[in-house]
Amino acid sequence: MKGVNLLLELTEGARADAEARRAELSYEALEERARAARQPIDVAAALAHDPGHTHVIAEIKRSSPSKGALAEITDPAALASEYAAGGASCISVLTESRRFGGSLDDLRAVRARVDVPLLRKDFISDEYQLLEARDAGADMVLLIVAVLQPERLRELHAFALDLGLSALVEVHDPSEIEHALAADARILGVNTRDLKTFEMHPERFAQLRSQIPAGVVAVAESGVSQLADVERYRADGADAVLIGEALVRDGEPQKRVREFGAVR
């Protein structure tokens, strides 16, 4: 249960950090500011199946619990510009600080530089975090089924939609897909990393893809290190692929995004 416990630890830590920020800026003040912010982009439409190419969600990620430090990334906005120039359909910005080295300031900096849709990737369990995402310029947020009770998932998903945000709902098994669809998820991300062992199981995407209905965007998460990995996910029915480590460690991120996106 090491991985599951870590996921809970990350979720609790992210919520505690949000509570600390809430002590500085009230829920009411943040909501007023968030609802006055720019209107988010409909990311489900932006990631809809395209027979001509694979949508790439390019991630800004400094480190991870399983791999440790990945890249320094002193200027996340500059990296985001490279991703956008390479044709990324969406850019994921890690905002969790304790184990991933990210921040909401990263998200704000990226938003100021690029116009493509942005995902706030964090461990969200509270409405305040959704308000923060909208206020900082996100178009989409991550909701992880494994750490949210079904009713809580529905509440957070509904509130995200009320704010104009899209939600990438992450699943790992058939029952989680059922919960995600019951919450009216329009974008499902299948994480092929085992939560207990951190081992990769890329075949999991193909096993679960058939349970994702037509009209729901299917995103393959984790396990991409080379072009063949994207080709495999695409052949298995992925509309989009989320890629982090392979891009932040590459010296030519713009070129790599373009290559990955050219997969049909």
Side-chain angles (χ1 to χ4, degrees):
M1 297 294 287
K2 178 180 67 173
V4 177
N5 289 338
L6 176 60
L7 190 56
L8 292 173
E9 174 193 319
L10 289 165
T11 302
E12 291 167 1
R15 183 168 184 145
D17 291 342
E19 286 297 320
R21 293 189 293 270
R22 186 170 179 169
E24 300 294 325
L25 180 65
S26 72
Y27 184 101
E28 294 74 19
L30 178 60
E31 181 169 22
E32 181 177 357
R33 204 166 78 179
R35 290 189 182 276
R38 59 176 282 284
Q39 185 63 32
I41 299 166
D42 182 351
V43 186
L47 297 181
H49 181 76
D50 185 335
H53 81 289
T54 300
H55 293 294
V56 174
I57 303 175
E59 191 157 83
I60 295 173
K61 181 179 185 179
R62 293 186 177 89
S63 62
S64 75
S66 60
K67 295 289 185 69
L70 299 174
E72 190 173 355
I73 312 182
T74 57
D75 189 347
L79 179 56
S81 294
E82 290 288 312
Y83 288 162
S89 297
C90 181
I91 296 174
S92 170
V93 183
L94 261 299
T95 60
E96 197 277 341
S97 62
R98 299 185 183 206
R99 303 295 287 271
F100 290 87
S103 71
L104 283 165
D105 285 340
D106 288 343
L107 182 57
R108 295 186 186 98
V110 171
R111 177 77 288 161
R113 186 74 66 88
V114 302
D115 295 325
V116 300
L118 299 185
L119 162 67
R120 179 190 182 184
K121 195 174 183 191
D122 210 320
F123 300 86
I124 291 175
S125 61
D126 186 81
E127 285 81 358
Y128 191 86
Q129 294 166 296
L130 297 177
L131 292 173
E132 288 181 319
R134 169 79 190 264
D135 178 61
D139 302 285
M140 182 164 64
V141 292
L142 177 69
L143 297 177
I144 303 173
V145 178
V147 294
L148 298 169
Q149 293 297 319
E151 180 60 27
R152 192 71 186 118
L153 174 64
R154 288 193 291 270
E155 291 170 350
L156 289 172
H157 190 269
F159 190 65
L161 296 184
D162 179 61
L163 290 174
L165 296 167
S166 301
L168 172 60
V169 182
E170 181 175 297
V171 298
H172 300 83
D173 60 40
S175 66
E176 291 185 359
I177 291 179
E178 291 180 11
H179 293 317
L181 295 177
D184 294 324
R186 296 176 60 204
I187 309 171
L188 284 189
V190 176
N191 194 332
T192 60
R193 184 184 300 279
D194 191 294
L195 288 180
K196 297 178 182 178
T197 65
F198 294 124
E199 294 177 356
M200 297 306 310
H201 297 282
E203 71 280 359
R204 180 174 295 163
F205 181 82
Q207 293 166 356
L208 299 179
R209 179 63 180 92
S210 62
Q211 298 182 45
I212 301 176
V216 175
V217 175
V219 181
E221 302 179 33
S222 301
V224 173
S225 61
Q226 57 188 336
L227 194 61
D229 299 319
V230 178
E231 291 172 341
R232 174 177 183 167
Y233 282 140
R234 181 64 167 179
D236 289 338
D239 300 307
V241 178
L242 192 152
I243 309 170
E245 181 182 343
L247 294 176
V248 299
R249 285 184 161 172
D250 192 279
E252 298 181 288
Q254 180 181 151
K255 178 183 177 182
R256 292 285 277 170
V257 169
R258 187 174 293 111
E259 290 174 348
F260 289 145
V263 175
R264 299 184 180 186

